[in-house]
Amino acid sequence: MIKYYNPANEASSNQPFDVNKDYGTPVSTSTETVSIEIDGVTLNVAEGTSVMRAAALADINIPKLCATDNIEAFGSCRLCAVQVEGMRGYPASCTTPVKEGMVVTTQNDDIAKLRRNIMELYISDHPLDCLTCSSNGDCELQDMAGAVGLREVRYGFDGDNHFDAKNDDSNPYFTFEPSKCITCSRCVRACEEVQGTFALTIEGRGFASKVSAGSSDQNFLSSDCVSCGACVQACPTATLTEKSVIEKGQPEHSIITTCAYCGVGCSFKAEMKGEEVIRMVPYKGGEANQGHSCVKGRFAFGYATHKDRITEPMIRDSIDEPWKKVSWDEAIEFSANKIKGIQAKYGRESVGGITSSRCTNEETYLVQKLIRAGFGNNNTDTCARVCHSPTGYGLKTTIGESAGTQTFESVMKSDLVMVIGANPTDAHPVFGSLLRKRLRQGAQLIVIDPREIDLLNTSHIQENHHLALRPGTNVAMINSIAHVIISEGLEDKAFIAQRTDEYKAWSEFILDDINSPEANESVTGIPAEKIRIAARAFANAKNASIYYGLGVTEHSQGSTMVMGIANLAMATGNIGREGVGINPLRGQNNVQGSCDMGSFPQELPGYQHVSDNALREKFEKHWGVTLDNEPGLRIPNMFDAAIEGTFKAMYVQGEDILQSDPNTQHVQAALGSLECLIVQDIFLNETSLYAHVFLPGSSFLEKDGTFTNAERRINRVRKVMKPLAEFADWEVTQKLSNALGYPMNYQHPSEIMDEIASLVPNFSRVNYQKLDEQGSIQWPCNNEFPDGTPIMHEKQFPIGNGRFAITPYLATEERANKRFPLLLTTGRILSQYNVGAQTRRTENQVWHDEDVLEIHPHDADDRGIKDGDWLGITSRAGDTVLRAKVSSRMQSGVVYTTFHHPLSGANVITTDNSDWATNCPEYKVTAIQVEKVTSPSLWQTRYKKFSQEQKAHFKNSSKKKPANRENLV
Ligand code: SF4
Ligand code: SF4
Ligand code: SF4
Ligand code: FES
């Protein structure tokens, strides 16, 4: 019997310490211990631990205000005063480190009097509106007044005070009420140490000192603040408070779950009142985020209950008709009949489906199972096709496992970090903050990216190298770096000899002059000496790690580049221990999981190839069906086949392929050719404009399951409210499967995970009980590694030795020319997520309500373009219109945009060029021309009209009288 997670049991779980307790100062990492006595209790603690933390470890809680355990002690409030034998006065326990033999007293009459006096001063300048204050019951000042026994304020409240200080409500999610500020500077330090943004300062001195966001004429919104919430979390008073708490009151209970946005996989406490989420508080016990968050996970959860949520199933025979709202049974029967009819008419292969990287592992597993066992073919694919499929191919080929090798925490042991084609502070913000912390500690940084990403502007960074290469030349760059390392004898000969194969052939290839930085100067646009300096720094670093993103994979040579990265890590011995490794930064919350769960047409769950008879038979036996031994269609093949007329029906769960896939007009033509498109989503997304069946989806708050983050960490997703549309996504897939005649009868997602564990070797010891006990598990989790595997490939690779791959650079066909002289590359920004379906329905819109085209001042000048001008953008695939943002973050000749808004049409311009091995689209290189225009593009005008017609079809949807349920499945 599974013991389901109960937050009340959290303190007694086997966490190393109580994650609900604030120990006052950070943990010491020293391995030396000292023995001390506190209030008569003798204890051994790590050297470097503060007296405050040591006392807290012995359950002796010293009052405190300016200290909290995720930032360094500051020693400003003095409330934590103690007496130490042999020391004069009353040292602050938060800033006093333990010493061997120290004898500490934390409570006596003198100390109590001193603390009361300090509290009295604070309280005399504090509006005593506790009973009506939003933080009543959740305020450390209130708690500490009680803890020190303050009963009266002798000075009265008539002296100088800050009661009239003006509130700052500019941030959409939290308020700043300075009249309640005790100037403890926890917010300032959290912004610096945890988030790494340095948006806040303490301005002025003494009584006049105050917290300031940016300069005096700025507020939170106009400052550098990125709304991560770390300051709100750190504030001990109601000065910085979530607006949701002010509006709805204090939460009453909490459930621990996982963020549904990016691949960092942050753990949160969903703090609730009944079934309503009041706030999401980053969970200190979450291994991926350790109590930190970004604006999306922390604040942008309102989409889950947005009025646009579709909660009733809908069907229609043609996209020219209004929708009909029907019962679940009727929608499922309609879908099943359509699929059966189409297969009877056009054949078994004429249907397929797409799994979601936003849904849980269990849901993804069920969709691919439905397709393979219920549809009877392997026409399953996933949105990872358009992002990290080259990671799968490239890593599997070279190191035998298609996943990142490290924990996020491992970066704290890196001496040099190479970031290629990734923008962690925007796309993986919590990891970005951790990385910045390491850079502030002195690690070197190499960024390989056409654009100047924010990471390069990290405060207090000591050394960085920006190789701002031309888009499409990654492979030339990585080969040149390897060329320098091998030709200068900087390789790790022992690692190469012991852990790798095929080095000789590779080294001969890489030493060819064609791969030298000098030969590649004209290709990459980077001076050879700059590459040589960076290559030497990489090879000479004790621990060098590589983090990469879609700027590596979304190219015609995406898979080649991933192999080039693996070559570099192996040649320098940077694999198999902390601080090193190859780390693909996965975009969506469950991209890793959707790949692990068998979403690709050629691989059953656990990357087990469909053509391997023994592996396939294992699944056949378990699933009770005969499986196809040929790989099915990939997404682009499905589109082509739909246009050709051989592919007729598609089931798409939680993925907006119309907005996210390249060459939108081609996708429109494909979707428009289908006889049945079944879309399952929480909103009527762009793809559903072409749908015949709409099955309402469930948000991450409405279901149980697991997500797997970019560190291979399987995290629990926990249901905090009932599904708005009655069923979780896995239940709907199960209904569809049953209606198609392939029975599924799971009662809970834990049963699906048990089935996964029985079929996927790397998951063989995973189950919900272990997840609840451990908090999370990094796969492989099997008999060899029963508690999971934080660092992979320590002794050997799954394929034995690593294999060097030959990676010749081949220029993409997509080149700037006279007609299309600029190269467009695309990416994300912090406040929006992917196609924006979620974040566009939150206050995050305040930071980015439209996609713009970033263009270098020279290119703008040449064309007479100014900030804010409308630009017509044309590629050989199509054209669109976006507003200009003149920015020197771009190199001349390269422009940049995001794709968060449907009408922007960023993917109308991107072409259907793709990676040679995996068909991952070449989003990062599109040759374009821009010119000033005054009206939207033809596509935008047509699409707007089509979209409005479809909205009218939704508005005019009728509620059908329920059919006789007995006739339904
Ligand atoms: S929300 Fe984050 S970035 Fe903004 S001021 Fe607070 S800590 Fe700094
Ligand atoms: S805003 Fe809060 S955390 Fe910041 S100084 Fe004031 S009381 Fe301290
Ligand atoms: S970093 Fe990613 S997982 Fe963490 S809160 Fe932000 S969006 Fe969510
Ligand atoms: S808590 Fe130690 S000085 Fe404030």
Side-chain angles (χ1 to χ4, degrees), residues 84 284 336 347 379 418 669 678 775 809 836 950:
V84 178
K284 210 160 92 176
N379 293 336
M418 179 182 273
I678 304 167
Y809 166 67
Q950 288 299 325

Side-chain angles (χ1 to χ4, degrees), residues 864-910:
I865 294 166
K866 300 209 167 36
D867 245 358
D869 283 347
W870 285 109
L871 299 183
I873 306 159
T874 314
S875 74
R876 63 183 171 80
D879 54 293
T880 193
V881 171
L882 293 173
R883 223 187 275 274
K885 182 176 174 196
V886 180
S887 161
S888 43
R889 286 173 67 169
M890 305 310 307
Q891 50 180 287
S892 183
V894 180
V895 293
Y896 172 84
T897 191
T898 48
F899 55 94
H900 303 302
H901 295 267
L903 259 186
S904 305
N907 281 327
V908 176
I909 320 165
T910 52

Side-chain angles (χ1 to χ4, degrees), residues 176 180-187 202 211 234-237 239-240:
F176 175 58
K180 294 184 172 170
C181 180
I182 58 170
T183 345
C184 66
S185 102
R186 271 163 66 161
C187 53
I202 299 279
V211 172
C235 183
T237 67
T239 315
L240 286 160

Side-chain angles (χ1 to χ4, degrees), residues 365 368-369 619-625 627 742 755 759:
Y365 174 86
Q368 63 82 34
K369 182 177 177 182
F619 282 85
E620 288 177 336
K621 207 166 148 205
H622 209 296
W623 292 354
V625 288
L627 296 171
Y742 180 73
E755 180 174 317
L759 290 165

Side-chain angles (χ1 to χ4, degrees), residues 52 63-67 73-81 92-95:
M52 174 179 278
K64 59 183 175 51
L65 276 174
C66 69
F74 189 56
S76 70
C77 75
R78 315 298 298 176
L79 197 68
C80 66
S93 62
C94 63
T95 50

